[in-house]
Amino acid sequence: LLQWYHKQWYQRRVRVLGVTNPYFNKALQHWPNVIILDGDPNKALKILNPKEHSGSSLRGKPGFYTRYKPFLSKDKNVKKLLRGDRQRPAEVENIMLRRYLTELTHTLMIPLEQFISSLMPLQKQLNPFRQPPLLQQFQQEAFIQSLNDSSIKLNSELKGLRGNWKDLYRKFIKSPNFEMWFQSKRTEANQRLELLHIEQLCEADIYSWKADKHEVEIVDMLLWIRDRYDALERLGTQHSELQEHLRNHLTSLMEVVPADMQATIKPAFTL
């Protein structure tokens, strides 16, 4: 049962298992974090060295035993922030702590946001008659090398933070949270590129383009514009003006298609 549990759930990495049976303490001693609770629920737990925990008893010294080694030093300003006014309501301190963590998250993500922007293809690389380019692949070491002293901008609330930011980013990039964030950013960026590409196609001079083209090329362009029309609908937003431009392009191209062929293909391009 334990082997099945380890195989099925260990890869998920995020889980809390509460036990009182000492068997689990020994069987799961490879887990990086162990919390031994105190009988007093109001007593704060201290972070302790895992070497102080024998790994064979659940009745050790109450505390949080962890093998995790932080990449950043403790920010003493947080303690000053929360202990500055003993009469401050807990709700107010909760808001202050949330604001601090929000600022810390923004500080961490801004260099990643800037690097993602650099992976966007240039506008001149867009060709209305070809497939739109996609966001370039994310290269971890390229991002790490792009970091410098000015990349991490700490405001007054975070000025006490010091440490190894590069190793912190390496750890974060390997996490499921980064994967979810990057997937969302990649989808967003590719959709933006697709929309820019369709806008270019709408602005293209189809009248001049079709002047010296053969029937096969005209039909290929009809198919391409119909594909872009469908892509515009998949984007899920209203772009009636762009849709009207694409319909006009289809009408213009159908004018140079032989009459006998029009009867066959026109239904497929009537939008």
Side-chain angles (χ1 to χ4, degrees):
L1 177 62
L2 188 60
Q3 290 178 348
W4 177 88
Y5 177 86
H6 178 80
K7 181 178 180 181
Q8 296 295 322
W9 298 95
Y10 186 72
Q11 294 302 323
R12 298 190 180 185
R13 299 185 182 182
V14 180
R15 62 217 168 278
V16 176
L17 179 64
V19 299
T20 57
N21 190 329
Y23 167 77
F24 286 97
N25 194 359
K26 183 177 181 180
L28 300 179
Q29 59 185 336
H30 60 283
W31 282 29
N33 303 310
V34 174
I35 299 176
I36 298 181
L37 299 177
D38 190 274
D40 182 2
N42 297 318
K43 188 176 181 180
L45 293 177
K46 295 182 179 180
I47 298 177
L48 303 173
N49 191 315
K51 294 181 180 179
E52 299 178 32
H53 181 229
S54 65
S56 60
S57 174
L58 291 175
R59 298 195 180 114
K61 184 178 179 181
F64 177 30
Y65 298 86
T66 178
R67 293 188 179 91
Y68 174 76
K69 295 181 180 179
F71 296 100
L72 303 181
S73 61
K74 294 180 181 179
D75 190 353
K76 296 180 180 179
N77 290 326
V78 179
K79 292 183 178 180
K80 293 179 182 178
L81 180 70
L82 297 180
R83 296 180 180 177
D85 186 354
R86 293 290 184 176
Q87 303 302 319
R88 187 185 294 133
E91 293 79 5
V92 175
E93 289 200 339
N94 185 47
I95 294 174
M96 296 174 67
L97 186 58
R98 283 177 176 270
R99 186 177 64 183
Y100 173 85
L101 294 175
T102 298
E103 290 294 334
L104 182 58
T105 301
H106 288 167
T107 299
L108 178 73
M109 300 309 294
I110 285 174
L112 284 165
E113 295 271 7
Q114 293 173 339
F115 186 74
I116 294 296
S117 298
S118 72
L119 300 180
M120 287 283 287
L122 300 176
Q123 184 106 8
K124 63 182 180 180
Q125 293 178 280
L126 296 175
N127 186 326
F129 305 121
R130 296 179 182 175
Q131 285 284 352
L134 300 176
L135 186 74
Q136 298 176 46
Q137 291 294 319
F138 183 90
Q139 300 291 337
Q140 174 181 302
E141 286 309 310
F143 166 69
I144 298 299
Q145 291 175 11
S146 71
L147 296 174
N148 51 50
D149 294 338
S150 61
S151 300
I152 312 298
K153 299 179 181 179
L154 302 176
N155 61 20
S156 57
E157 292 183 355
L158 304 174
K159 62 182 180 180
L161 280 176
R162 297 290 185 274
N164 191 333
W165 286 91
K166 290 188 176 182
D167 282 349
L168 176 62
Y169 277 112
R170 287 189 177 96
K171 184 78 172 180
F172 175 61
I173 289 170
K174 294 178 181 178
S175 72
N177 289 334
F178 172 79
E179 182 64 24
M180 292 176 62
W181 175 84
F182 180 66
Q183 290 286 357
S184 174
K185 285 295 178 181
R186 181 165 54 189
T187 299
E188 179 185 325
N190 288 335
Q191 288 178 344
R192 191 182 311 129
L193 287 168
E194 194 161 33
L195 183 57
L196 288 172
H197 178 262
I198 292 172
E199 289 175 351
Q200 280 196 354
L201 180 59
C202 290
E203 297 170 0
D205 186 359
I206 292 295
Y207 292 96
S208 300
W209 178 88
K210 70 182 182 180
D212 59 347
K213 297 299 184 291
H214 298 291
E215 292 178 10
V216 174
E217 294 174 290
I218 295 295
V219 172
D220 284 344
M221 181 54 66
L222 284 167
L223 292 169
W224 176 238
I225 294 175
R226 176 56 199 257
D227 177 83
R228 297 294 82 200
Y229 188 94
D230 293 340
L232 194 59
E233 290 188 331
R234 288 195 299 271
L235 291 177
T237 53
Q238 295 296 324
H239 298 285
S240 56
E241 186 175 346
L242 296 179
Q243 290 175 326
E244 183 63 26
H245 277 295
L246 294 178
R247 283 194 290 266
N248 291 339
H249 283 346
L250 291 174
T251 301
S252 174
L253 291 171
M254 288 298 294
E255 293 174 355
V256 296
V257 174
D260 58 337
M261 185 182 293
Q262 282 192 29
T264 304
I265 68 173
K266 190 173 183 178
F269 300 105
T270 301
L271 304 174

